[in-house]
Amino acid sequence: MWKRLPLKTNWRMIYMMVAGKVLASVALAGSVAVGALVFTGSETIESVKSQLSKYSDMISNYENNESNLLSKITSVKTNASAAITKANDTITNKTGEITKLGADKKKLEDQVKYLNECLVDLKEKAAKLTEDLKTTQTNLDAKTAELAAVKAELAKTQTDLASTKTELANTNEKLAKTETELATAKATIAELTGDKQDLQKENSRLEGEITKANSEVEVLKTKAAEAEAKVANKAPLTKEETDAVDTEVPEVVDGAPK
């Protein structure tokens, strides 16, 4: 792995150092080859050239990456500063919110305490209401039985009422008939009353006539008494005396007596 190098590294100096070492190695190899009259460093030189080209590209990339890294560090610092400022503002706001939430928490805790007290009170009331409910249920059962009895009595009363209505209708019919008969009777009574008055008048007249007749009878009695006194010593003719009476008369001749 590559060891991380510090920022602002002098890549050209490093390149020159590497190049110097490579050339020294080439020179050493060349001196050995000259002493033997044989040069065998061509491959080494080519390899070194390749490595130098590679290192040169790497150094160029490192410089580009260093510039990009510095730019990113600046951008990150700017963004970090803004984020820190925003975070500080957020912390300030959150601190205020935490303070407010603490007050709200205290308020809610007090409310919970109050509600717990209310809950205890409500439980006691619920227990009392449960007992009251049992008593009320007992009373309700009694009232239900009483209501059933009243309903049965009501049904009987309704039946009796229907029967009574029927009897009333019949009675009304009879009453209407009786009233008609009564009206007829009253008319008859009125008529008879008129007849009675006429009869009373006639009776009065007859009584007058009877009184008059009685008076005349008294007169006749007196006259009869007188007549009886006159004929008291006189007897009627007997048959023999009657037969002895001469009843012959002269005959009529030619319209003149003889």
Side-chain angles (χ1 to χ4, degrees):
M1 295 180 64
W2 290 93
K3 184 178 181 181
R4 181 178 293 178
L5 296 175
L7 297 177
K8 301 295 183 178
T9 302
N10 193 337
W11 296 104
R12 293 185 180 279
M13 186 179 291
I14 293 173
Y15 175 76
M16 293 301 295
M17 291 174 63
V18 172
K21 290 181 179 181
V22 171
L23 289 175
S25 298
V26 171
L28 180 61
S31 62
V32 173
V34 171
L37 299 177
V38 177
F39 180 71
T40 59
S42 298
E43 292 181 0
T44 303
I45 291 172
E46 292 299 325
S47 175
V48 168
K49 286 182 178 180
S50 176
Q51 289 181 357
L52 288 175
S53 177
K54 181 178 178 181
Y55 288 149
S56 177
D57 292 337
M58 290 175 64
I59 290 170
S60 178
N61 289 333
Y62 276 125
E63 287 181 346
N64 292 331
N65 291 337
E66 184 181 42
S67 296
N68 292 331
L69 180 61
L70 291 174
S71 176
K72 288 183 178 181
I73 289 172
T74 302
S75 176
V76 168
K77 180 180 179 181
T78 301
N79 294 333
S81 297
I84 290 171
T85 300
K86 182 178 180 181
N88 287 331
D89 293 338
T90 303
I91 290 171
T92 301
N93 294 332
K94 294 301 179 182
T95 301
E97 291 180 4
I98 289 170
T99 302
K100 183 177 181 299
L101 290 173
D104 293 341
K105 178 184 176 183
K106 180 64 171 58
K107 182 178 179 181
L108 291 173
E109 288 176 346
D110 293 340
Q111 187 173 359
V112 169
K113 181 179 178 182
Y114 170 74
L115 291 176
N116 283 329
E117 293 174 354
C118 292
L119 181 61
V120 172
D121 183 56
L122 289 174
K123 284 182 178 180
E124 292 176 355
K125 290 182 178 179
K128 183 177 182 303
L129 288 174
T130 301
E131 293 298 324
D132 293 343
L133 179 60
K134 290 180 180 178
T135 303
T136 303
Q137 185 63 45
T138 302
N139 295 333
L140 178 61
D141 293 339
K143 292 296 183 184
T144 300
E146 184 179 351
L147 178 60
V150 171
K151 283 184 177 179
E153 185 177 357
L154 176 61
K156 182 178 180 302
T157 302
Q158 287 176 339
T159 302
D160 294 342
L161 177 60
S163 177
T164 303
K165 284 183 177 180
T166 302
E167 292 180 1
L168 178 60
N170 294 332
T171 302
N172 286 334
E173 184 179 356
K174 291 179 181 179
L175 178 59
K177 182 178 179 181
T178 303
E179 286 178 347
T180 302
E181 293 176 352
L182 178 61
T184 303
K186 285 182 177 180
T188 303
I189 289 172
E191 183 179 357
L192 292 175
T193 301
D195 294 342
K196 179 182 178 182
Q197 291 175 353
D198 293 338
L199 289 174
Q200 287 177 345
K201 291 179 180 179
E202 182 66 20
N203 187 43
S204 297
R205 187 185 69 78
L206 291 175
E207 286 178 352
E209 292 292 333
I210 291 171
T211 301
K212 181 180 179 181
N214 287 332
S215 298
E216 292 179 353
V217 167
E218 291 298 327
V219 173
L220 290 174
K221 283 182 178 181
T222 303
K223 289 182 177 181
E226 292 177 355
E228 187 176 358
K230 288 180 180 180
V231 295
N233 296 320
K234 295 178 180 179
L237 293 174
T238 64
K239 185 176 183 306
E240 291 78 7
E241 291 177 343
T242 303
D243 291 338
V245 174
D246 183 11
T247 59
E248 291 183 2
V249 295
E251 295 180 0
V252 178
V253 178
D254 297 327
K258 293 181 177 182

